[in-house]
Amino acid sequence: MKFSRFWIVGALATGLTLSGATVALAQSIDKLTYHNNAARSGWNPLETQLSPATVTSPAFVQLWQTPQFDSRGTNEPRLFATPLYVDQVTISAGPHAGKTLPVIYAVSDLGYVYAVNAAASDGVPAGTILWSKRLTHNRPGGQGALSTPVIDLKTQRIYVVCADGNSQPHQAYALDLRNGDAHPGWPVAISAAAVNAPGVNRNGSTQFPGRPLIQRGALNLSPDATRLYVSFAEASGSPGWIVALDTEKAAVATAFSATASNTEVQGGMWASGGPTVDLEGYIHIATGSSVQVMIKKLGLPGIFVDSEHNWGQSLLRLSDDRGKGFSLVGTYSPFNYAQAQIMDIDLASSGTTAIDLDPATTSTPKLLVLGGKQGNVYLLDRANLPGSLVKRPAPSEDSTTDGSLLPPEPQPQFGQRGPLNVFGPYADKSAANDQARSRTTPAYFRAADGKNYVFVTGSAKTGPKLQTSIPPGLFRLEIVTAPGQPAHLKVDQSEMTQVFHNPGSPVITSNGGRDAIVWVLDTNAPRTAPMQGPTAARPVLYAFDALTFKLLWKSVPEELGSGGKYNEPTVVRGLVIVGTDRIQAFGLLPATSTQPVFLPLFSNVATTARPAADPKIVQLGKTVYTQRCAACHSSGATGIPSFAQITSLDETRIVETMVSGVMKPQAAGLKEGDIKAIASYLTSLPVSSAIPPKL
């Protein structure tokens, strides 16, 4: 079997040796950035514990969760940022100083950063918060931290960008992984003064605003980690931006605005995936439209199709010279960019994925994949992008003129060749807001048979206003190659049983090219659904067999806390880590039932020896459990802990779970005494011999 250069470099960077299709773990496994690496592959090929067989077993359950993270006033925390993971960190402060632990790093929209112990080790329970830092000090109402941080292991830094209130500029922090302390010279203000300094912006006379723009795109680093890349959405008076910080000098180094003038407000760079950096160090990012064009019905004049250096609704490829800064070296604008831009159907809703194939298999080995609100998926030859470096092409309605790598077959929505539309129906006028088909970053996987696949998530739409989500919400696309010929995409399979409402990006785990699983975290509500309050959406986590699309497992309704949007799970070392309003971790139970079901967090785990309980309270608990709980926990349904499993919990944990944890909705209406009675009943049974009550 041949491995792509992308695969090999990514594997070696993680400490692997490759022999044919065999993957041997040499040292630590880490997730240091969004979608697994700088190229945004979304693929962890080093997962040896989680397979389709183990994930479908009753042993795969929620193992532990932290308490809910810090609130600010009435605002509860939400994680828009994906949790990151470092296999070995030597903690240098607090009660666990000197201990080397596997650590999860989480950032909330309220401006807090947390280091969480990932697995019980050296006397520290899983879920223990090792340190936390508050980066905001003004009253609630600002953005806080929305973007996924990035970690540089060489310098032991985690880079986080955070806004403090509505009037202060974003600050970029370099925090020590070991204790959360800021490195000297940090934070760095990404301010109007810094970005508007002479020579910083490399695209015209655009001025960076004095108020915060939305900063949701994940952070990324250059291959040598001397540049930190930060992307921003557009807003009234400002187009979108990408800004590079010099990590050695702790200063803003260079920037590139989506348009060359402040009078042309568009080109927001707001996708959760942020910029993609390929192996050569080139930066790729998609830009979008401006919702004001649609709201004010500005039409074609509102998108400035004749303006030079206006890159709204386009894909940009940038180089970053340490002396000169950013240079535009490639562009791509879809054939229908004008129609889509007028209706706020952003290309920038999608992050990009860089893929390197064996040059012997295709004439286009350096590929880039992206999607967008319209539900299309575009495959590009990133080394030879088709656009001008001066201006976008004239608007077109002819799909055959599109500069992406088109499938050879006519596409149904056009009746001729054109880009691949996967989340339908195809529309140029109704794919914004809750009508949007996709807002995610694709994921790449190379199977054991040598085939290259791209996975994309979103949702097809139906109804009179095209706002009702229906399957398919997950596609597997094959990258079709032939020696000396350009690559193209074809639909290999779609998943037709599950409805995604606003999913995050798919991530892939596998053991080399085998046992591949697709993980998807769906917000479980439309984009416009409230994020706070009693009606806030509760996400759902899914696991599918990557090659059959069989649903392997999904989380129980209400099992996950309320979270942010466009998030993805982190899956590493048999642990599926989800950021909601806390960290929740799923994995495989220990082999014997006498071991704990949940790793200890709030109190000690129960053992087989249980204390005596009041027989009357135990009987009441058994009655209430039989009436309210037994049907689910005796059903054997995928993802629901069994009766034997929940009897392994201690009384404090059972009560907490029902009063304020994942089972709070199911416990609605129960009196405090009933909940305590259920806990007394469950903990009155020996762990190894618990028998469910008869229904």
Side-chain angles (χ1 to χ4, degrees):
M1 170 183 173
K2 292 183 178 180
F3 289 88
S4 68
R5 181 164 176 255
F6 172 91
W7 205 103
I8 293 173
V9 172
L12 293 178
T14 333
L16 303 180
T17 59
L18 302 177
S19 175
T22 302
V23 181
L25 179 62
Q27 52 185 1
S28 63
I29 303 173
D30 308 302
K31 182 174 179 179
L32 308 179
T33 186
Y34 180 86
H35 229 45
N36 290 78
N37 45 44
R40 308 301 196 214
S41 74
W43 177 26
N44 170 13
L46 310 174
E47 180 52 58
T48 60
Q49 298 182 47
L50 300 178
S51 66
T54 59
V55 170
T56 54
S57 74
F60 185 78
V61 297
Q62 184 175 177
L63 296 175
W64 57 264
Q65 60 176 286
T66 66
Q68 186 186 61
F69 287 147
D70 295 274
S71 297
R72 295 285 306 278
T74 59
N75 293 328
E76 295 182 332
R78 299 289 182 260
L79 268 66
F80 289 75
T82 293
L84 302 179
Y85 173 89
V86 179
D87 220 19
Q88 299 179 52
V89 179
T90 301
I91 302 301
S92 63
H96 306 297
K99 296 181 179 180
T100 299
L101 302 168
V103 180
I104 298 163
Y105 293 92
V107 178
S108 81
D109 64 338
L110 299 181
Y112 291 83
V113 183
Y114 304 88
V116 178
N117 187 35
S121 179
D122 201 6
V124 185
T128 300
I129 296 177
L130 304 169
W131 57 257
S132 66
K133 295 291 179 179
R134 176 177 169 181
L135 306 182
T136 56
H137 299 283
N138 293 327
R139 64 179 179 82
Q143 293 178 46
L146 302 181
S147 62
T148 300
V150 64
I151 291 172
D152 177 20
L153 283 184
K154 183 178 179 180
T155 59
Q156 292 287 291
R157 295 178 178 183
I158 179 170
Y159 293 102
V160 182
V161 171
C162 184
D164 194 354
N166 291 317
S167 59
Q168 302 299 315
H170 279 84
Q171 302 274 342
Y173 293 80
L175 305 178
D176 193 309
L177 292 174
R178 297 160 292 195
N179 52 39
D181 291 345
H183 280 264
W186 299 81
V188 174
I190 309 176
S191 63
V195 180
N196 296 333
V200 173
N201 182 22
R202 302 288 293 164
N203 189 30
S205 60
T206 314
Q207 296 291 290
F208 195 77
R211 64 191 179 286
L213 298 171
I214 292 176
Q215 201 286 296
R216 186 159 56 206
L219 310 183
N220 213 337
L221 287 168
S222 60
D224 62 3
T226 63
R227 298 285 219 206
L228 174 67
Y229 298 117
V230 187
S231 57
F232 294 89
E234 98 292 338
S236 179
S238 176
W241 290 80
I242 181 169
V243 178
L245 278 65
D246 186 317
T247 60
E248 296 176 324
K249 297 180 179 178
V252 170
T254 185
F256 195 93
S257 56
T259 68
S261 169
N262 281 97
T263 62
E264 302 178 6
V265 177
Q266 55 189 270
M269 306 177 193
W270 57 267
S272 59
T276 292
V277 181
D278 67 15
L279 297 173
E280 293 79 28
Y282 289 104
I283 303 100
H284 307 81
I285 193 161
T287 71
S289 55
S290 169
V291 69
Q292 295 300 317
V293 176
M294 180 180 69
I295 292 173
K296 297 179 180 179
K297 299 180 180 180
L298 300 179
L300 199 61
I303 64 171
F304 311 101
V305 296
D306 294 322
S307 293
E308 294 185 352
H309 308 293
N310 181 314
W311 301 114
Q313 197 73 354
S314 299
L315 182 281
L316 307 182
R317 176 175 166 96
L318 301 165
S319 67
D320 182 10
D321 182 272
R322 293 305 179 267
K324 298 178 181 178
F326 283 135
S327 293
L328 184 66
V329 295
T331 71
Y332 161 74
S333 305
F335 79 98
N336 65 338
Y337 75 89
Q339 300 95 302
Q341 217 176 336
I342 289 168
M343 298 306 296
D344 194 40
I345 305 174
D346 284 280
L347 189 68
S349 69
S350 173
T352 59
T353 300
I355 301 169
D356 286 2
L357 301 183
D358 185 343
T361 65
T362 175
S363 62
T364 56
K366 298 181 185 298
L367 299 173
L368 195 77
V369 189
L370 72 157
K373 287 182 183 177
Q374 198 164 28
N376 296 339
V377 182
Y378 306 92
L379 184 67
L380 299 169
D381 179 359
R382 71 175 192 272
N384 297 283
L385 291 175
S388 162
L389 299 182
V390 177
K391 62 183 295 186
R392 295 171 293 179
S396 173
E397 296 184 2
D398 182 357
S399 62
T400 65
T401 66
D402 194 271
S404 60
L405 298 174
L406 301 178
E409 305 84 7
Q411 297 303 303
Q413 72 273 21
F414 304 123
Q416 58 184 11
R417 293 187 69 194
L420 199 66
N421 180 254
V422 294
F423 302 114
Y426 180 84
D428 279 329
K429 295 184 178 180
S430 52
N433 296 319
D434 290 343
Q435 300 170 328
R437 315 297 197 259
S438 180
R439 294 183 174 90
T440 65
T441 302
Y444 167 69
F445 169 63
R446 182 177 176 87
D449 62 3
K451 290 185 177 180
N452 297 286
Y453 294 111
V454 170
F455 293 81
V456 290
T457 50
S459 56
K461 298 292 182 178
T462 191
K465 295 185 178 180
L466 293 180
Q467 293 181 333
T468 302
S469 298
I470 58 173
L474 173 66
F475 275 87
R476 184 178 63 249
L477 311 176
E478 183 182 351
I479 305 175
V480 181
T481 60
Q485 300 297 315
H488 67 271
L489 294 173
K490 75 170 185 179
V491 173
D492 196 59
Q493 189 174 354
S494 59
E495 203 292 316
M496 297 300 297
T497 68
Q498 305 299 308
V499 178
F500 297 159
H501 296 284
N502 193 20
S505 301
V507 295
I508 313 296
T509 59
S510 68
N511 186 1
R514 296 178 172 83
D515 290 334
I517 298 174
V518 187
W519 303 88
V520 182
L521 183 65
D522 181 32
T523 306
N524 200 31
R527 187 197 71 83
T528 56
M531 304 291 298
Q532 294 280 340
T535 61
R538 303 286 288 273
V540 177
L541 176 65
Y542 295 82
F544 300 90
D545 185 304
L547 295 183
T548 66
F549 274 179
K550 174 186 176 183
L551 177 64
L552 304 174
W553 177 91
K554 72 176 183 179
S555 59
V556 179
E558 309 296 328
E559 186 171 11
L560 294 174
S562 296
K565 300 173 183 175
Y566 320 124
N567 208 329
E568 67 180 27
T570 288
V571 190
V572 62
R573 286 211 184 279
L575 203 62
V576 183
I577 303 160
V578 181
T580 55
D581 59 354
R582 64 195 74 193
I583 292 294
Q584 299 179 249
F586 297 78
L588 299 173
L589 291 168
T592 60
S593 62
T594 56
Q595 291 179 310
V597 176
F598 290 81
L599 298 179
L601 177 60
F602 298 104
S603 60
N604 293 328
V605 176
T607 64
T608 53
R610 298 296 183 96
D614 186 325
K616 292 182 179 179
I617 295 177
V618 169
Q619 184 57 47
L620 172 62
K622 181 177 181 179
T623 300
V624 178
Y625 177 90
T626 302
Q627 294 172 346
R628 293 289 296 266
C629 314
C632 283
H633 291 290
S634 300
S635 68
T638 300
I640 299 179
S642 68
F643 180 75
Q645 291 166 356
I646 61 176
T647 59
S648 296
L649 297 172
D650 63 74
E651 186 168 339
T652 301
R653 184 62 187 272
I654 294 170
V655 170
E656 188 278 337
T657 301
M658 298 179 72
V659 170
S660 59
V662 295
M663 295 303 294
K664 181 178 179 180
Q666 284 72 23
L670 291 179
K671 298 178 181 178
E672 180 181 355
D674 294 335
I675 292 174
K676 291 183 177 180
I678 291 173
S680 293
Y681 162 61
L682 293 173
T683 56
S684 72
L685 303 169
V687 173
S688 59
S689 60
I691 301 174
K694 294 181 180 180
L695 299 178

